[in-house]
Amino acid sequence: MQRLATAIEVEVRFLITHATRRQLQKLIPAAALERRRLLQYSDTYYDTVGHSLMLSDNWLRKREREWQLKHAIAGFKSQEHSSGTYQYRETVGQSEILEHLKTTFPDVFGRRELSIDQMVTDGTLVSMAEFSTDRESYAYDDGEGEVRIDLDRASFGYAVGEVEVMVQSEEEIAAARARVRAIASRLAGEDCKGPPPTGKLSVFIARNHPALYEQLVERGVMKPRLQEAE
């Protein structure tokens, strides 16, 4: 799935069950199954010392060598905890990310002329989470555009599935939400009960930064209870 400098990511997470692979065989065309990709990548998430970014629903990470930022879309709730659906504007590249940070957090970044890497070096940005992920990834066209399905296992032992589509405008979000929810429901299987699972970063923060996690829950940025897929 091609990444533009700025696009909107709509995704839903699902539990990986014994039925998931059987459902994959039914859902995805044979050619797409053959194009399965096995990946391993490392993520490091950064924030200010006072957690200005995360508490404002901004997620800055370095995936391998690339800087990426996910941030809330004006007029939309980023995370619909009841359905497990998430939508963020995703920005890649230092210059585009810095422009957003300076505009959104002028007191912290407005007068800084440093690169993101330099702000890590001088302590303006600090590492909050670091882990690697083994990913089994599939991409196919469902008739409405490209869909990506990822089966992830993080280095700290947490596994979760994700269905993702990328759109270019806010007007496309509602239809994209319906698409990913329908696909995830089929993949999870009928034996999947309870609330949707939590994302990898949420689990990492809950386990390693419980005080910050509670603040994020109070602000509605993260869900108040975890369903973890082991």
Side-chain angles (χ1 to χ4, degrees):
M1 185 174 292
Q2 184 179 10
R3 298 294 194 197
L4 302 177
T6 300
I8 297 172
E9 176 189 80
V10 181
E11 73 172 32
V12 66
R13 294 159 190 152
F14 62 92
L15 288 173
I16 300 172
T17 71
H18 72 277
T20 300
R21 296 189 183 282
R22 183 171 67 249
Q23 294 302 111
L24 274 172
Q25 299 287 332
K26 296 179 181 179
L27 179 67
I28 300 178
L33 288 171
E34 293 175 0
R35 293 194 301 269
R36 178 187 70 160
R37 300 176 65 205
L38 299 178
L39 312 169
Q40 185 179 71
Y41 60 86
S42 297
D43 287 323
T44 304
Y45 286 82
Y46 291 89
D47 203 347
T48 64
V49 175
H51 310 308
S52 302
L53 302 184
M54 291 184 175
L55 291 174
S56 300
D57 208 7
N58 284 255
W59 307 94
L60 176 65
R61 71 186 177 200
K62 194 170 191 180
R63 175 162 291 180
E64 299 297 337
R65 297 182 179 181
E66 180 180 67
W67 285 103
Q68 302 175 350
L69 176 71
K70 293 185 179 184
H71 52 97
I73 304 164
F76 286 85
K77 187 176 181 180
S78 307
Q79 307 188 26
E80 296 182 356
H81 298 311
S82 60
S83 67
T85 309
Y86 302 81
Q87 47 272 328
Y88 283 95
R89 191 171 295 281
E90 183 173 292
T91 302
V92 298
Q94 289 215 36
S95 60
E96 292 85 358
I97 292 172
L98 282 170
E99 181 179 354
H100 172 81
L101 294 178
K102 289 180 179 181
T103 301
T104 309
F105 306 96
D107 292 344
V108 180
F109 301 102
R111 297 181 180 180
R112 306 303 299 273
E113 299 301 328
L114 302 177
S115 69
I116 300 177
D117 290 298
Q118 288 172 326
M119 284 190 279
V120 171
T121 300
D122 77 1
T124 302
L125 293 168
V126 296
S127 172
M128 296 299 301
E130 184 173 356
F131 54 87
S132 62
T133 299
D134 290 314
R135 168 167 287 181
E136 183 178 338
S137 188
Y138 301 85
Y140 73 102
D141 192 318
D142 69 344
E144 298 182 56
E146 187 175 77
V147 177
R148 195 177 78 192
I149 298 172
D150 297 324
L151 308 181
D152 289 350
R153 178 166 289 277
S155 54
F156 54 92
Y158 181 67
V160 68
E162 299 177 352
V163 180
E164 174 190 302
V165 299
M166 304 294 289
V167 299
Q168 299 305 311
S169 68
E170 288 85 350
E171 290 76 15
E172 299 173 273
I173 291 176
R177 282 198 300 246
R179 284 171 63 199
V180 297
R181 283 198 297 261
I183 294 168
S185 178
R186 292 183 61 182
L187 290 171
E190 295 179 356
D191 58 345
C192 180
K193 299 179 181 179
T198 305
K200 300 185 295 292
L201 179 60
S202 296
V203 173
F204 185 97
I205 291 176
R207 293 180 182 180
N208 296 279
H209 304 287
L212 173 60
Y213 174 71
E214 290 302 322
Q215 288 182 280
L216 291 165
V217 169
E218 289 174 5
R219 295 203 180 194
V221 176
M222 287 186 172
K223 59 196 303 184
R225 66 183 295 268
L226 294 173
Q227 181 178 349
E228 297 190 16
E230 299 297 341

